[in-house]
Amino acid sequence: MCVPTIASLFAVVTPAVSPALCAVGLVHVLTLAAAWFSRLSTGSRYERGCQAACLTLLAVTGLLCGVSLHLGPGTAVASAVTLTIATLIAIADFGGTAGASDRPA
């Protein structure tokens, strides 16, 4: 009778994921977070730093759109979608925050 070890059970439960795909996923999450914080920091002393981080990560995600074609077409599409959503978060104004930094305190 074969007794399973914890390591063998863990290997069965966890899927094999490429470290490159994990890195791409991390860049996507960081890009969306930077866009969100860039939006939230409008008018504060953190605005310039958040905008610099957002622009840098937008450039990195844009480069990933082309580079990730080698990882598979789905990865390139995910990079393009992340780039689009991050740009919309940082730029588009759908109401509630319009002119928030122009309001008197």
Side-chain angles (χ1 to χ4, degrees):
M1 184 170 163
C2 179
V3 178
T5 63
I6 298 294
S8 65
L9 288 175
F10 188 71
V12 170
V13 174
T14 58
V17 180
S18 167
L21 288 177
C22 289
V24 169
L26 179 65
V27 169
H28 289 182
V29 170
L30 289 175
T31 301
L32 292 173
W36 183 257
F37 286 120
S38 173
R39 183 67 176 191
L40 290 179
S41 68
T42 301
S44 73
R45 65 183 179 145
Y46 302 110
E47 181 177 13
R48 185 172 294 191
C50 288
Q51 287 178 351
C54 181
L55 287 174
T56 302
L57 285 166
L58 283 173
V60 170
T61 305
L63 287 173
L64 276 178
C65 284
V67 172
S68 62
L69 285 171
H70 298 290
L71 298 174
T75 308
V77 169
S79 295
V81 169
T82 301
L83 187 63
T84 303
I85 292 172
T87 303
L88 283 174
I89 289 172
I91 293 174
D93 195 358
F94 296 109
T97 60
S101 61
D102 298 333
R103 295 183 192 145

